[in-house]
Amino acid sequence: MAKQIPETASSVSPRQKAFLRAHHRHHHQVAFCRAFLLLLFLGLWETASRLSWIDSFFFSSPTGILRYLRDMLLDHSFFTHTGITLLETVVSFLLVTALSLLTATLLWYRKSLSEILEPYLVVLNALPKSALAPLLIVWLGTGTNTIIVAGISVALFGSIISLYTGFCQVDPEMCKLIYTLGGNRRDALTKVILPSSIPLILSNMKVNIGLSLVGVIIGEFLAARRGLGYLIIYGSQVFQLSMVITSIIILCAIAMVFYRLIQSAEHYYKKKY
Amino acid sequence: MQPILSLRDISFSYHNLKGETPALSHIDLQISEGSFVAVVGPSGCGKSTLLSIIAGLLAPESGEILYRGLSSKDYCADTAIKIGYMLQRDHLFEWRTVYQNMILGLELSHTLSKENTDYVEKLLNDYGLYAFKDKKPSELSGGMRQRAALIRTMAVHPDLLLLDEPFSALDFQTRLAVSADIASIIRKTEKTALLITHDLSEAVTLADRVVVLSGRPASVRCEMPISYELTREDPLKIRSTTAYQDYFNQLWEVLNDGKTNP
């Protein structure tokens, strides 16, 4: 050990050391400021509601939210509401991903099909999906199905368009290579288009998970008896603002977890290739 | 002897709504088995179109292509000649290892037999890439990538090699070495090769015969057989001979004569 110390010391120059130290210090500063900002905000909020600067009936308070969260955990309503929202989001996300991959592949495979469908896709993508919700309720009733379809409808068309555009931007020379080696269009799809589009597919998934969540919450606003979206609407109607804010905070956490999951899939892919 | 490839009166135009762009007009060309032919011509004259037609990726609008005397009508698996096509850029797929890139052609033709994969391993060994077999293509140098692209082309045992400016993406020094390298591999294996290039000195150094095309629409302006007393191993030695100089000057004159706006 004693021998190693001077060795490592000599391999890292003083300037490099200074650089590393400055680098770490900067990172610590950023982390500290982030935490400080959050604590400051929570502290101000708590103080303001205790000293009645704001009406805690409308604005709730950090301790009020914690109390409400504890109650939710104790009567298990946390798990039913969060669980159902999670389930609906995951199902609609998976369906969006599968359906959009399938459709984009089909559109790439049959160029004339994409020409025929283009205006419809553009219109459906631009249409505000919440306008469809009342229709969905009439057709599918109120419940999980409607909410999953709402989640799909928000993300699907944009996802198809962005995947299809990405497929079309793959270097045509790469496909030519496949043809010169005796492959057909299907080979070009499986050997070039899909594998080269994996980064695009992953970043598309990041967008989809967010949009699915948006669609599910819209659906729950309108057609649910369970779920975080329902809690938000119900809480606002009965002036239980702790319920509303707690649900929003849980939603933030869900969104972050999903985002991190896909990000780690991206990291895994980057490491592998 | 029957030429491996003969083009008879081939014409081709590109069409779009603005009109018709003739690319090839009445091309006649014969390539005998085992020869190394270079095609030169002004840029944009339709050289790549010619290769695409020979490779069967495009159908000629008129004229006939015979492979060993057979037209594509009496084409069947036994008589069909295999064509290997080397593109301008190597297009090694980054999501595959070097070895997986090499067997792409075998995969596509469903001929992944032990015999064929052994041949790929032998080629990797011969061309000094065996140590990089499981690496990513991005870890290879420019010259190695071209050699890898050649192995990918050779893996399917092509009878005729089409080289579409395969060295144009390399820097000058690498280009000189790699082009000599690849030409000597092709000669050793006695493959027939058709090289497209805009580099006159490359054509004169590597080929047995140089075909000069005119500007768009391309037609054959002249053909020039090339031979040296030296072997072709060392491109620099060839480039310092007077014969090389003469060939180069002749080609230069032919090409410049044809220019409408010099």
Side-chain angles (χ1 to χ4, degrees):
Chain A
M1 279 306 279
K3 261 187 189 171
Q4 265 176 356
I5 291 163
E7 229 177 69
T8 47
S10 65
S11 66
V12 179
S13 73
R15 279 181 195 200
Q16 173 70 7
K17 263 192 199 161
F19 167 78
L20 287 175
R21 215 178 305 128
H23 180 81
H24 287 139
R25 193 166 50 225
H26 175 72
H27 269 258
H28 289 150
Q29 274 168 355
V30 169
F32 173 78
C33 289
R34 276 180 192 162
F36 178 74
L37 210 61
L38 183 66
L39 287 175
L40 183 75
F41 173 70
L42 291 177
L44 266 176
W45 188 4
E46 185 67 34
T47 322
S49 78
R50 293 229 170 164
L51 299 179
S52 299
W53 299 345
I54 53 174
D55 190 344
S56 63
F57 181 72
F58 289 119
F59 291 93
S60 188
S61 67
T63 46
I65 287 162
L66 277 177
R67 219 176 302 128
Y68 188 76
L69 200 61
R70 192 197 60 207
D71 293 345
M72 273 182 96
L73 283 167
L74 285 177
D75 67 5
H76 300 291
S77 61
F78 175 85
F79 301 103
T80 34
H81 291 296
T82 311
I84 194 79
T85 301
L86 265 180
L87 178 80
E88 287 159 349
T89 309
V90 168
V91 170
S92 66
F93 163 72
L94 291 177
L95 283 172
V96 164
T97 306
L99 282 174
S100 59
L101 260 176
L102 204 76
T103 315
T105 304
L106 217 68
L107 292 179
W108 181 85
Y109 204 78
R110 288 263 171 268
K111 270 265 144 60
S112 47
L113 191 67
S114 81
E115 278 176 63
I116 295 167
L117 293 183
E118 199 206 342
Y120 299 107
L121 277 175
V122 171
V123 168
L124 284 173
N125 184 44
L127 182 76
K129 255 53 90 187
S130 47
L132 292 177
L135 211 54
L136 291 178
I137 294 170
V138 173
W139 288 342
L140 300 168
T142 58
T144 313
N145 287 346
T146 311
I147 293 161
I148 289 172
V149 173
I152 293 173
S153 69
V154 170
L156 184 65
F157 304 107
S159 175
I160 292 172
I161 291 172
S162 83
L163 284 179
Y164 173 69
T165 313
F167 287 176
C168 290
Q169 278 166 353
V170 173
D171 189 348
E173 286 272 303
M174 286 199 189
C175 295
K176 187 176 175 186
L177 174 75
I178 295 290
Y179 302 140
T180 65
L181 290 169
N184 52 30
R185 203 161 164 83
R186 205 177 67 211
D187 293 316
L189 178 76
T190 55
K191 310 269 183 206
V192 175
I193 302 292
L194 290 179
S196 71
S197 300
I198 286 176
L200 169 75
I201 293 170
L202 284 170
S203 77
N204 185 249
M205 282 164 89
K206 262 190 204 167
V207 178
N208 288 349
I209 192 77
L211 288 178
S212 291
L213 198 53
V214 169
V216 163
I217 295 302
I218 293 176
E220 284 181 348
F221 278 178
L222 299 167
R225 287 278 159 268
R226 285 178 304 168
L228 296 171
Y230 164 73
L231 281 190
I232 291 171
I233 277 294
Y234 178 73
S236 73
Q237 284 165 354
V238 299
F239 285 98
Q240 270 271 6
L241 277 309
S242 293
M243 187 193 273
V244 176
I245 296 172
T246 310
S247 305
I248 292 172
I249 290 171
I250 298 171
L251 273 179
C252 283
I254 290 176
M256 206 155 86
V257 169
F258 278 134
Y259 186 82
R260 278 290 155 93
L261 276 177
I262 296 173
Q263 206 171 33
S264 56
E266 254 179 346
H267 277 297
Y268 172 77
Y269 174 79
K270 262 186 202 147
K271 230 186 226 168
K272 204 166 157 211
Y273 298 100
Chain B
M1 205 172 120
Q2 187 82 260
I4 186 167
L5 174 77
S6 34
L7 303 181
R8 288 187 189 157
D9 204 28
I10 296 284
S11 298
F12 186 86
S13 311
Y14 288 101
H15 297 271
N16 62 23
L17 289 179
K18 283 183 196 135
E20 183 174 359
T21 318
L24 304 174
S25 106
H26 308 290
I27 300 252
D28 280 295
L29 187 65
Q30 299 215 323
I31 292 175
S32 51
E33 202 98 41
S35 62
F36 195 127
V37 178
V39 175
V40 298
S43 54
C45 77
K47 290 174 291 198
S48 294
T49 309
L50 184 64
L51 280 199
S52 291
I53 285 178
I54 295 172
L57 301 176
L58 288 173
E61 291 191 319
S62 67
E64 195 181 21
I65 308 175
L66 300 177
Y67 303 97
R68 290 206 176 109
L70 296 169
S71 78
S72 50
K73 279 170 225 145
D74 16 59
Y75 215 66
C76 71
D78 296 331
T79 56
I81 68 158
K82 284 200 198 110
I83 292 176
Y85 197 141
M86 244 175 113
L87 299 166
Q88 276 182 29
R89 283 184 295 142
D90 53 66
H91 291 300
L92 295 171
F93 296 157
E94 206 46 53
W95 52 90
R96 288 168 163 249
T97 64
V98 172
Y99 179 74
Q100 286 171 333
N101 268 293
M102 302 300 91
I103 59 168
L104 185 64
L106 298 176
E107 250 176 66
L108 292 171
S109 55
H110 308 287
T111 49
L112 260 177
S113 61
K114 175 89 175 70
E115 195 191 341
N116 284 332
T117 50
D118 281 350
Y119 179 61
V120 170
E121 303 229 337
K122 183 188 166 297
L123 288 173
L124 280 166
N125 219 349
D126 290 354
Y127 305 164
L129 287 174
Y130 198 82
F132 296 89
K133 190 175 163 246
D134 297 317
K135 294 261 174 8
K136 292 182 217 165
S138 58
E139 293 173 67
L140 302 182
S141 69
M144 286 159 106
R145 290 179 72 104
Q146 281 307 326
R147 259 182 286 159
L150 181 68
I151 296 175
R152 183 181 57 201
T153 315
M154 301 282 259
V156 291
H157 300 281
D159 304 288
L160 172 64
L161 278 171
L162 304 177
L163 310 170
D164 187 359
E165 302 188 29
F167 315 120
S168 57
L170 301 172
D171 63 88
F172 183 70
Q173 209 177 353
T174 321
R175 179 176 185 149
L176 217 58
V178 171
S179 62
D181 193 25
I182 284 181
S184 84
I185 289 167
I186 291 170
R187 276 174 202 284
K188 258 184 221 147
T189 47
E190 290 171 347
K191 299 278 184 202
T192 314
L194 182 63
L195 167 73
I196 279 190
T197 178
H198 55 252
D199 184 338
L200 290 188
S201 41
E202 194 170 273
V204 173
T205 330
L206 301 176
D208 307 321
R209 186 153 62 100
V210 177
V211 176
V212 183
L213 295 182
S214 66
R216 192 171 264 254
S219 56
V220 177
R221 178 179 287 282
C222 80
E223 298 192 25
M224 185 187 289
I226 310 264
S227 65
Y228 297 103
E229 285 161 18
L230 293 165
T231 60
R232 306 266 186 144
E233 296 294 312
D234 189 342
L236 276 182
K237 265 192 194 144
I238 288 202
R239 284 180 190 221
S240 57
T241 58
T242 49
Y244 165 85
Q245 281 301 332
D246 290 344
Y247 287 133
F248 187 93
N249 291 340
Q250 279 177 45
L251 270 182
W252 182 256
E253 268 165 36
V254 172
L255 271 172
N256 275 346
D257 264 4
K259 280 206 176 144
T260 42
N261 44 352

